[in-house]
Amino acid sequence: MLLSYKEFLKNAKIILGSQSKGRQGLLNMVDLFKFEVFPSTFEENLDKQLDPLTYVQKTCEGKVINLLETFKQNNQQWDICIFADTVCEINGKIIEKPNTKEDAYNFLKLFSNSLHLVHTSVYVVGKNDKNQIFQLNGVETTEVHFQYLPEQSIQIYVEDESNWKGRAGGYAIQALGNMFIKKINGDYSNVIGLPLPVLDKLMSEIIELLIKKD
Amino acid sequence: MLLSYKEFLKNAKIILGSQSKGRQGLLNMVDLFKFEVFPSTFEENLDKQLDPLTYVQKTCEGKVINLLETFKQNNQQWDICIFADTVCEINGKIIEKPNTKEDAYNFLKLFSNSLHLVHTSVYVVGKNDKNQIFQLNGVETTEVHFQYLPEQSIQIYVEDESNWKGRAGGYAIQALGNMFIKKINGDYSNVIGLPLPVLDKLMSEIIELLIKKD
């Protein structure tokens, strides 16, 4: 577990390749290491006919390739980079961030009184002092069960843009959206956008690789 | 849903009868109403041989009776009071807040690589303009599955008192403790100490009773 690598973490330059406030909030919450935010500029426009797990993994991979290339061009210093991408899935269909209030309304209508999945792909990349690069990835899925949402409640909810804008599926479990959720089955942090137990495992393994003496 | 009672909530004097930072954090997070904190002074010392659900319900009831009596004596103004009590259960045994570092260590050792339950009892009490009092209560249970915790990680964790002090079971899911949890089955906010969907339902019903014209 990462708790055992506090000394390493204290001196490492760690980058979060995401501008998601939810992900930043989770890392600040566990407060195990300092990090800087460098969002990737990878366009999230892959073919939505892909299987959702493949889709989320390929999107995350795109972010990795894009940001590491930028870092190379700019001679950016880093030891560990963290990437994630999150999508929702209902009836086999991929649901991403809503673009409009109407999108958000339709997503919540779809989720009401029903079950959807939240998938997050996580990539952790490490670089040792010989400039060798190590990369590990994992994916986490959480079942989210919504209670029945009355028409009026959805309308009031989407009226306030901050409730749905930039949120996969059009809601935030770490805010008012929590009220919609009857139960989850799986990891909670995954629904915010960064499954912490997966990150814990991948980062611990990367650190082991980085500090290994050959 | 409470979202539909925003107008009522704007003008209501709402009291949270708990000093738990987690519960206050949850209410601030959903940000549906303002509230004041008045912890009850009820001593949580009921017989631990009670069935855990009965135990948590009776403890919460004790807080209700205690605080409403204090309010009566002090002519305290209020419209709605919210109360909650949370315990963990493993193998039928009640686990409350650790008193010492050793307690916290032993609880986490017990939870490691295993499943425990978190029970929260919620009471909502409302008073209308004729001084009629209405009271509703509910209880929520969430399954929490811990991953295997290495000895060293537990030791590092309990070293910092803020990780376990005042936390039922000796961990906080809304902080570093999230790393320990492989998955939950049920409501997340319940593990912090206040199941928001239950609160949403009980408060909505109480408000309906308060605004009913006879």
Side-chain angles (χ1 to χ4, degrees):
Chain A
M1 294 192 75
L2 269 179
L3 262 170
S4 309
Y5 298 102
K6 271 192 149 177
E7 275 311 303
F8 178 93
L9 293 169
K10 210 185 281 175
N11 301 306
K13 188 166 177 72
I14 301 175
I15 310 282
L16 174 65
S18 166
Q19 62 190 340
S20 146
K21 293 280 173 241
R23 293 190 185 116
Q24 294 170 37
L26 283 170
L27 293 185
N28 287 324
M29 178 186 94
V30 296
D31 195 23
L32 272 175
F33 50 84
K34 299 214 182 315
F35 61 94
E36 289 172 52
V37 172
F38 281 91
S40 145
T41 55
F42 179 71
E43 265 197 77
E44 305 179 24
N45 57 4
L46 297 177
D47 179 6
K48 294 236 188 357
Q49 298 308 308
L50 283 172
D51 151 71
L53 282 177
T54 309
Y55 178 90
V56 77
Q57 221 154 340
K58 281 197 175 296
T59 302
C60 195
E61 210 172 67
K63 293 180 181 179
V64 176
I65 295 167
N66 175 291
L67 194 68
L68 292 189
E69 186 53 37
T70 309
F71 280 3
K72 212 169 158 184
Q73 285 167 12
N74 304 345
N75 282 317
Q76 168 72 41
Q77 290 297 305
W78 60 276
D79 296 307
I80 292 178
C81 286
I82 301 165
F83 300 88
D85 190 63
T86 304
V87 297
C88 297
E89 172 185 354
I90 188 161
N91 307 324
K93 210 182 137 208
I94 294 171
I95 305 280
E96 287 194 291
K97 299 177 190 116
N99 290 315
T100 62
K101 189 162 82 175
E102 286 66 38
D103 280 353
Y105 178 90
N106 291 330
F107 292 171
L108 293 173
K109 198 86 186 144
L110 204 58
F111 291 164
S112 171
N113 207 21
S114 181
L115 148 71
H116 66 272
L117 303 177
V118 178
H119 306 291
T120 302
S121 166
V122 182
Y123 277 71
V124 177
V125 191
K127 193 170 67 172
N128 69 11
D129 43 18
K130 290 170 195 143
N131 276 323
Q132 287 176 300
I133 287 185
F134 302 91
Q135 180 175 312
L136 293 174
N137 72 79
V139 68
E140 183 67 63
T141 296
T142 303
E143 273 182 25
V144 180
H145 299 251
F146 264 51
Q147 54 167 306
Y148 168 74
L149 307 182
E151 193 80 14
Q152 198 197 2
S153 298
I154 304 182
Q155 272 160 3
I156 298 172
Y157 186 82
V158 300
E159 221 35 75
D160 181 350
E161 204 178 73
S162 71
N163 283 332
W164 54 266
K165 200 160 193 185
R167 319 285 199 180
Y171 70 94
I173 192 174
Q174 73 277 27
L176 185 51
N178 195 299
M179 293 279 197
F180 297 162
I181 300 170
K182 207 162 46 182
K183 68 169 214 154
I184 70 168
N185 189 358
D187 176 51
Y188 167 78
S189 50
N190 181 37
V191 188
I192 300 184
L194 187 59
L196 294 175
V198 171
L199 181 72
D200 185 67
K201 184 172 167 288
L202 297 179
M203 273 186 81
S204 301
E205 286 173 11
I206 284 283
I207 293 170
E208 273 301 314
L209 292 170
L210 294 182
I211 62 184
K212 202 165 77 183
K213 300 280 166 236
D214 37 27
Chain B
M1 294 192 74
L2 269 180
L3 262 170
S4 308
Y5 298 102
K6 272 192 148 176
E7 274 314 302
F8 178 92
L9 293 169
K10 211 184 281 174
N11 302 307
K13 187 165 177 71
I14 300 175
I15 308 282
L16 173 65
S18 166
Q19 61 190 342
S20 145
K21 293 281 174 238
R23 292 189 186 116
Q24 294 171 37
L26 284 169
L27 293 184
N28 286 324
M29 178 185 94
V30 297
D31 195 23
L32 271 174
F33 51 82
K34 298 212 184 316
F35 61 94
E36 288 172 53
V37 172
F38 282 90
S40 146
T41 54
F42 179 70
E43 265 196 78
E44 306 179 23
N45 56 3
L46 297 176
D47 178 7
K48 295 234 185 359
Q49 298 307 311
L50 283 171
D51 150 73
L53 282 177
T54 310
Y55 179 90
V56 77
Q57 222 154 341
K58 283 198 174 296
T59 302
C60 195
E61 209 172 68
K63 294 180 180 179
V64 176
I65 295 166
N66 175 291
L67 195 67
L68 293 189
E69 186 53 37
T70 309
F71 281 2
K72 211 170 159 183
Q73 286 167 14
N74 304 345
N75 281 317
Q76 169 71 41
Q77 291 297 303
W78 60 275
D79 296 307
I80 292 178
C81 286
I82 301 164
F83 299 88
D85 190 64
T86 304
V87 296
C88 298
E89 172 186 354
I90 188 161
N91 307 325
K93 209 182 139 210
I94 294 171
I95 305 280
E96 287 195 291
K97 298 178 190 117
N99 290 315
T100 62
K101 191 161 80 175
E102 287 65 39
D103 281 354
Y105 178 91
N106 290 331
F107 292 172
L108 293 172
K109 198 88 186 139
L110 205 57
F111 291 166
S112 171
N113 206 21
S114 182
L115 148 71
H116 66 272
L117 304 176
V118 177
H119 306 291
T120 302
S121 166
V122 181
Y123 277 72
V124 178
V125 192
K127 193 170 66 172
N128 68 11
D129 44 17
K130 289 170 197 143
N131 276 324
Q132 287 177 299
I133 287 186
F134 303 90
Q135 179 176 313
L136 294 173
N137 70 80
V139 68
E140 183 68 61
T141 296
T142 302
E143 274 182 25
V144 180
H145 299 251
F146 264 50
Q147 55 168 305
Y148 168 73
L149 308 182
E151 193 80 14
Q152 197 196 2
S153 299
I154 305 181
Q155 271 160 4
I156 297 171
Y157 185 81
V158 300
E159 219 36 72
D160 181 350
E161 203 178 76
S162 72
N163 284 332
W164 55 265
K165 200 160 193 183
R167 320 284 198 180
Y171 69 94
I173 192 174
Q174 73 276 27
L176 184 52
N178 196 298
M179 293 279 195
F180 298 161
I181 300 170
K182 207 161 50 183
K183 67 170 214 153
I184 69 169
N185 189 359
D187 175 50
Y188 167 79
S189 50
N190 180 37
V191 188
I192 300 184
L194 187 59
L196 294 174
V198 172
L199 181 72
D200 185 69
K201 184 172 168 288
L202 297 179
M203 271 185 83
S204 301
E205 287 172 10
I206 285 282
I207 293 171
E208 272 302 314
L209 292 169
L210 294 182
I211 63 185
K212 204 165 75 181
K213 299 279 165 241
D214 37 28

